[in-house]
């Protein structure tokens, strides 16, 4: 008998809602769209390698599988470099451009492999039990440095097998360490010689080589304690002698060290002095000879990503959110200038990477109506050249219009949002309306492709004659530090009013039917959605994903212990009142709106107990509520079947309450 994948079963079991809807963008269709990542230009600027992710059925189970592709920079002569049913990711060119190193789980854990472009199979370079986190070639190509987490010891394995695997919380945890792979020294087993570089018991998360291959600069946890893993210092280690020099160790944290082309400077990120979540960062340059630190010019939002040095060493490139788009800035190394480098670009740019010679960028570009693909640009001036076409079947399919709208909030602050129209919109007609709230709170809705696979199937909803508003209320990223900090000690205050002002604006323009409105959101969007239904009966339906509903228990059980105290500016035991007053659970007695809850059982960012508390409270009050539990899933579902089921239930739930269609689950 022919085996049927789990996703196929889900498709066969779709609700009559979906079966009756003629759509190009149903969740089971969009999840099949290919994804792209790691667009990297060769050192000579003539070729590009990238990763394409596809959905495959393997032994009756649907999985996402990634493979490497290579093409000329004019999108000609595209070839697939890897095959099979295992993942191949993170390709990086050797300095001479003749080889590509990459990570693959083809033999178990993610290990390092080497592919020679003259032909042949990938050669295995490491045999690790925990796998590779990240790696980088040395300038001469003789060495590769990489980070990998501590492996399970024999005693730990034995204790687990015997059931004697108790542990003391946070006293022994696995650190990420720095290793050196010497490609020019082969051991008796035929593998390159492997040496552990980092000696201190502190987690390492980013690093870079000096041009002369003598030093590696790396960002590491401020201490061996798990609480300090989010606050990094920067040191550098001599590859030959093991000598360690401290570069930066302020109380707040530094990250992403990058050597200048001449090896005389190290650029890095520095958090602001407050050290707050959602705060700003600056780029600093450390002079190795003098020890002098130069702070570079500010940018509108505060840099989000340090990309690399210009080839002449006179500036560094950064990438940051800019309202609903993204911007590249070129910061002069003397600290005097911050020049917006891709001013004319529309859409959202991500995954920006500079090749080893500093001549070309590789990146991913998309907008609300065009799906993501790989692009490159010269580093001398920005011009996006498309180098892939991973989803040609999507060309020409109708996509609902999305436009940027603005409105004034209660205090005069201007708020932006993205409004997606019903596919067959008729002017003057009122439509059902959904308020979609982003996570974060320092997240941002941007101009990404609305028909991409995700938890909220925007294109499919719009095809069913529904407006969708995705606002960026105060607290969102992309609008500067003052805007980002405007919700401190005020979750559910000004940000809630920003959202309601956007709803009122949509109604005043004649778009939204005030009697047919829904609200949905995940994480902080789940917090705000549960806050909304506890403070107004305006919404006929709600879908709430992984919500923070009780701030005290959230702070004391999550994996980011400094997060809520940063926003509330106090620890819970220092100010119980502010945590209590801003917890949606305290207003559950007001809820009348039917609620769909969704939560991953393995979520440690917003622990599963948060969703469970809200479900039990609503259930006991007799509020119509369903709870979609996602086994094995972290803060957002990662397995294809779980992503699909989440999107399907969201679509069915909204269409049921807003359009009276049959509920499919």
């Amino acid at each position: 008998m022919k085996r049927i994948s789990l996703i196929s079963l889900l498709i066969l079991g779709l609700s009559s809602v979906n079966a009756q809807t003629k759509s190009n963008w149903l969740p089971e269709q969009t999840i099949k769209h290919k994804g792209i990542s790691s667009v990297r230009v060769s050192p000579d600027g003539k070729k590009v390698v990238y990763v394409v992710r596809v959905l495959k059925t393997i032994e009756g189970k649907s999985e996402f599988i990634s493979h490497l592709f290579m093409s000329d920079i004019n999108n000609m002569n595209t070839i697939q470099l890897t095959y099979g049913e295992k993942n191949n990711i993170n390709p990086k060119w050797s300095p001479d451009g003749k080889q590509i190193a990459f990570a693959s789980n083809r033999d178990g854990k993610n290990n390092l492999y080497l592919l020679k472009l003259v032909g042949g199979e990938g050669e295995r370079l490491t045999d690790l039990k925990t796998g590779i986190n990240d790696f980088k070639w040395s300038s001469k190509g003789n060495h590769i440095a990489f980070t990998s987490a501590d492996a399970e010891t024999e005693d730990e394995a034995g204790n687990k097998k015997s059931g004697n695997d108790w542990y003391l919380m946070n006293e022994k945890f696995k650190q990420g360490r720095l290793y050196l792979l010497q490609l020019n020294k082969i051991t008796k087993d035929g593998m390159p010689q492997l040496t552990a570089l980092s000696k201190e018991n502190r987690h390492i998360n980013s690093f870079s080589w000096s041009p002369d291959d003598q030093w590696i600069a790396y960002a590491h946890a401020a201490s061996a304690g798990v609480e300090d893993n989010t606050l990094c210092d920067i040191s550098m280690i001599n590859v030959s002698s093991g000598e360690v020099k401290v570069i930066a160790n302020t109380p707040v944290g530094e990250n992403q060290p990058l050597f200048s082309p001449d090896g005389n400077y190290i650029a890095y990120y520095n958090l602001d002095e407050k050290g707050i979540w959602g705060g700003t960062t600056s780029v600093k340059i450390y002079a190795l000879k003098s020890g002098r630190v130069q702070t570079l010019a500010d940018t509108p939002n505060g840099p989000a990503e340090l990309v690399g040095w210009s080839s002449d060493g006179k500036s560094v490139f950064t990438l940051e959110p800019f309202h609903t788009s993204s911007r590249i800035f070129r910061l002069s190394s003397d600290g005097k200038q911050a020049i917006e480098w891709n001013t004319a670009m529309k859409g959202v740019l991500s995954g920006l990477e500079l090749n080893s010679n500093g001549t070309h960028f590789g990146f991913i570009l998309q907008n609300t109506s065009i799906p993501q693909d790989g692009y490159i640009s010269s580093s001398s001036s920005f011009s996006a050249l498309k180098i892939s076409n991973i989803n040609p079947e999507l060309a020409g399919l109708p996509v609902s219009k999305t436009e940027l709208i603005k409105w004034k909030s209660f205090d005069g602050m201007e708020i932006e949002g993205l409004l997606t129209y019903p596919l067959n919109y008729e002017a003057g007609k009122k439509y059902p309306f959904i308020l979609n709230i982003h996570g974060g709170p320092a997240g941002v809705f941007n101009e990404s492709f609305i028909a991409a696979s995700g938890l909220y199937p925007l294109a499919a909803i719009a095809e069913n004659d529904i407006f969708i508003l995705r606002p960026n209320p105060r607290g969102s990223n992309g609008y500067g530090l003052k805007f980002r900090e405007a919700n401190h000690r005020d979750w559910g205050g000004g940000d809630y009013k920003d959202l309601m002002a956007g709803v009122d604006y949509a109604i005043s323009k004649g778009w939204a039917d005030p009697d047919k409105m829904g609200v949905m959101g995940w994480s902080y969007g789940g917090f705000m959605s549960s806050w909304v239904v506890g403070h107004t009966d305006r919404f006929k339906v709600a879908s709430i994903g992984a919500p923070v509903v009780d701030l005290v228990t959230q702070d004391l059980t999550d994996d980011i212990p400094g997060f809520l105290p940063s926003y509330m500016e106090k620890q819970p035991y220092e100010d119980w009142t502010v945590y209590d007053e801003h917890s949606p659970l305290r207003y559950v007695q007001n809820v009348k709106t039917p609620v769909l809850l969704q939560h991953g059982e393995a979520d440690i960012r917003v622990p599963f107990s948060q969703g469970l508390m809200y479900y039990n409270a609503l259930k006991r009050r007799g509020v119509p509520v369903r709870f979609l539990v996602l086994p094995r899933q972290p803060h957002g579902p990662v397995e294809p079947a779980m992503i699909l089921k989440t999107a399907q239930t969201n679509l069915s739930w909204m269409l049921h309450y807003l359009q009276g269609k049959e509920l499919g689950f």
Side-chain angles (χ1 to χ4, degrees):
M1 181 178 177
K2 185 179 179 180
R3 286 188 289 192
I4 301 177
S5 73
L6 179 55
I7 285 185
S8 298
L9 291 172
L10 288 171
I11 293 172
L12 292 173
L14 286 175
S15 69
S16 60
V17 174
N18 289 351
Q20 294 172 2
T21 302
K22 291 184 178 180
S23 172
N24 295 306
W25 308 116
L26 288 173
E28 59 273 16
Q29 295 166 321
T30 58
I31 200 170
K32 296 177 182 178
H33 297 170
K34 296 176 182 177
I36 189 168
S37 62
S38 303
V39 180
R40 289 165 179 157
V41 183
S42 61
D44 62 7
K46 294 181 179 180
K47 293 185 179 296
V48 59
V49 64
Y50 53 91
V51 176
V52 175
R53 190 188 76 168
V54 298
L55 183 70
K56 285 189 176 182
T57 300
I58 301 173
E59 297 182 352
K61 181 181 179 181
S62 294
E63 297 181 10
F64 291 123
I65 299 297
S66 294
H67 282 295
L68 310 186
F69 287 74
M70 183 178 68
S71 74
D72 298 335
I73 61 169
N74 57 4
N75 196 16
M76 299 291 289
N77 303 316
T78 300
I79 60 173
Q80 185 170 343
L81 297 177
T82 61
Y83 295 86
E85 297 180 346
K86 298 296 183 180
N87 280 304
N88 302 276
I89 59 172
N90 201 13
K92 297 186 180 182
W93 294 92
S94 62
D96 61 8
K98 296 180 180 180
Q99 303 175 97
I100 294 173
F102 63 97
S104 177
N105 65 346
R106 59 184 65 182
D107 294 309
K109 297 291 184 180
N110 263 351
N111 272 286
L112 201 58
Y113 290 78
L114 186 64
L115 185 65
K116 297 180 180 179
L117 298 186
V118 293
E121 290 292 321
E123 173 190 351
R124 188 171 179 174
L125 300 179
T126 62
D127 185 14
L128 304 173
K129 295 181 180 179
T130 58
I132 297 284
N133 293 333
D134 194 15
F135 69 93
K136 292 186 179 180
W137 287 89
S138 65
S139 300
K140 296 180 178 63
N142 294 328
H143 302 153
I144 292 178
F146 67 86
T147 52
S148 180
D150 293 334
E152 185 178 63
T153 66
E154 291 185 8
D155 287 344
E156 288 170 337
N159 289 338
K160 184 180 292 186
K161 188 175 181 179
S162 66
N164 193 33
D165 51 348
W166 53 266
Y167 62 94
L168 297 170
M169 180 67 73
N170 288 343
E171 293 194 15
K172 287 185 179 180
F173 53 92
K174 304 302 182 184
Q175 305 278 13
R177 303 185 190 276
L178 184 64
Y179 294 87
L180 180 68
L181 199 63
Q182 296 177 264
L183 302 180
N184 54 352
K185 292 185 179 181
I186 305 301
T187 61
K188 293 179 180 179
D189 59 3
M191 306 281 276
Q193 183 170 310
L194 182 63
T195 305
L197 287 180
S198 56
K199 307 300 182 184
E200 62 267 71
N201 194 35
R202 293 185 288 186
H203 181 78
I204 294 173
N205 60 17
S206 62
F207 60 96
S208 74
W209 282 92
S210 64
D212 63 5
D213 291 354
Q214 295 301 305
W215 295 86
I216 295 177
Y218 59 100
H220 55 82
S223 77
V226 66
E227 297 85 359
D228 278 340
N229 274 350
T230 56
L231 296 176
C232 290
D233 295 333
I234 293 176
S235 299
M236 55 187 284
I237 185 170
N238 186 283
V239 174
S240 301
S241 68
E243 177 189 1
V244 174
K245 295 180 180 180
V246 176
I247 299 299
N249 61 345
T250 68
V252 287
E254 299 79 27
N255 214 331
Q256 288 185 267
L258 290 174
F259 274 98
S260 62
D262 62 9
N264 292 327
Y265 302 90
I266 295 175
Y268 61 91
Y269 266 137
N270 199 106
L271 297 175
D272 67 8
E273 293 181 0
K274 296 179 183 177
I276 60 173
W277 287 81
T280 191
T281 56
S282 59
V283 177
K284 296 184 183 296
I285 292 178
Y286 178 87
L288 291 170
K289 292 181 180 178
S290 66
R292 180 176 177 268
V293 176
Q294 171 71 57
T295 301
L296 302 192
D298 291 333
T299 54
N301 191 58
E305 183 180 350
L306 179 57
V307 178
W309 287 83
S310 61
S311 57
D312 61 9
K314 294 181 179 180
S315 57
V316 297
F317 292 97
T318 66
L319 176 67
E320 65 182 59
F322 184 82
H323 292 221
T324 58
S325 185
S326 50
R327 290 290 180 267
I328 303 170
F329 285 87
R330 186 167 184 158
L331 311 182
S332 62
S333 56
D334 60 10
K336 295 179 179 180
Q337 286 186 318
I339 300 171
E340 188 176 326
W341 194 64
N342 61 330
T343 306
M345 192 205 79
K346 295 185 180 298
V348 180
L349 186 153
S350 60
L352 184 68
E353 299 209 32
L354 190 60
N355 70 344
S356 59
N357 287 333
T359 60
H360 289 80
F361 286 105
F363 52 92
I364 299 159
L365 189 61
Q366 60 184 310
N367 63 35
T368 57
S369 59
I370 299 177
Q372 62 175 223
D373 254 308
Y375 291 76
I376 67 167
S377 172
S378 165
S379 61
S380 59
S381 62
F382 181 79
S383 179
L385 175 65
K386 187 177 179 182
I387 54 86
S388 70
N389 187 20
I390 61 171
N391 290 296
E393 71 281 2
L394 303 185
L397 292 180
V399 181
S400 297
K401 182 181 78 170
T402 296
E403 68 179 14
L404 179 68
I405 64 172
K406 302 177 182 181
W407 61 91
K408 297 290 186 180
S409 192
F410 69 101
D411 57 357
M413 183 178 287
E414 185 175 78
I415 307 298
E416 291 187 343
L418 293 169
L419 181 72
T420 298
Y421 283 68
L423 181 60
N424 300 306
Y425 171 68
E426 298 176 16
K429 179 181 176 181
K430 291 182 179 180
Y431 289 84
F433 173 89
I434 292 176
L435 175 66
N436 187 190
I437 308 171
H438 67 62
V444 62
F445 280 127
N446 58 30
E447 299 164 33
S448 55
F449 185 51
I450 68 162
S453 174
L455 305 183
Y456 299 111
L458 303 180
I461 291 171
E463 282 188 323
N464 280 275
D465 292 332
I466 297 175
F467 268 105
I468 307 156
L469 176 62
R470 293 176 289 153
N472 289 326
R474 66 192 67 201
S476 301
N477 201 4
Y479 297 86
L481 180 61
K482 183 178 179 181
F483 190 88
R484 208 157 52 242
E485 290 185 331
N487 66 344
H488 278 219
R489 290 180 65 85
D490 194 38
W491 284 23
D495 45 7
Y496 168 70
K497 294 176 183 178
D498 295 342
L499 298 175
M500 293 304 101
V503 172
D504 291 338
Y505 180 72
I507 294 172
S508 72
K509 298 292 287 185
W511 297 321
D513 184 341
D515 296 322
K516 295 181 179 179
M517 299 198 303
V519 60
M520 61 188 187
W522 198 274
S523 191
Y524 178 80
F527 160 87
M528 188 55 72
S529 296
S530 53
W531 183 272
V532 165
V533 297
H535 285 78
T536 180
D537 296 333
R538 300 177 68 181
F539 294 88
K540 194 172 183 178
V541 59
S543 177
I544 301 175
V548 176
V549 298
D550 182 79
L551 268 60
V552 169
T553 55
Q554 166 69 24
D555 177 62
L556 297 178
T557 58
D558 66 26
D559 67 332
I560 43 174
F563 177 71
L564 272 168
S566 177
Y567 274 97
M568 298 303 144
E569 300 176 2
K570 296 284 185 180
Q571 295 287 342
Y573 48 82
E574 295 173 332
D575 191 346
W576 296 109
T577 301
V578 71
Y579 282 76
D580 194 60
E581 289 178 346
H582 296 279
S583 293
L585 192 61
R586 301 302 182 268
Y587 304 94
V588 72
Q589 67 275 7
N590 302 328
V591 179
K592 299 177 183 177
T593 305
V595 170
L596 169 67
L597 281 164
Q598 300 168 319
H599 213 142
E601 277 191 318
D603 193 345
I604 59 174
R605 181 57 45 87
V606 177
F608 180 75
S609 56
Q610 293 286 312
L612 185 60
M613 285 192 292
Y614 206 58
Y615 170 75
N616 285 330
L618 293 174
K619 192 77 172 176
R620 292 176 189 180
R621 288 199 56 250
V623 176
V625 59
R626 303 285 296 277
F627 193 179
L628 179 67
V629 177
L630 305 169
R632 302 174 304 283
Q633 304 311 295
H635 189 45
V638 294
E639 296 176 17
M642 298 298 172
I643 296 171
L644 176 59
K645 187 61 180 177
T646 302
Q648 287 178 328
T649 54
N650 278 322
L651 178 61
S652 181
W653 188 253
M654 289 294 165
L655 296 188
H656 176 67
Y657 281 96
L658 296 181
Q659 294 187 334
K661 296 186 178 181
E662 182 180 345
L663 191 63
F665 63 97

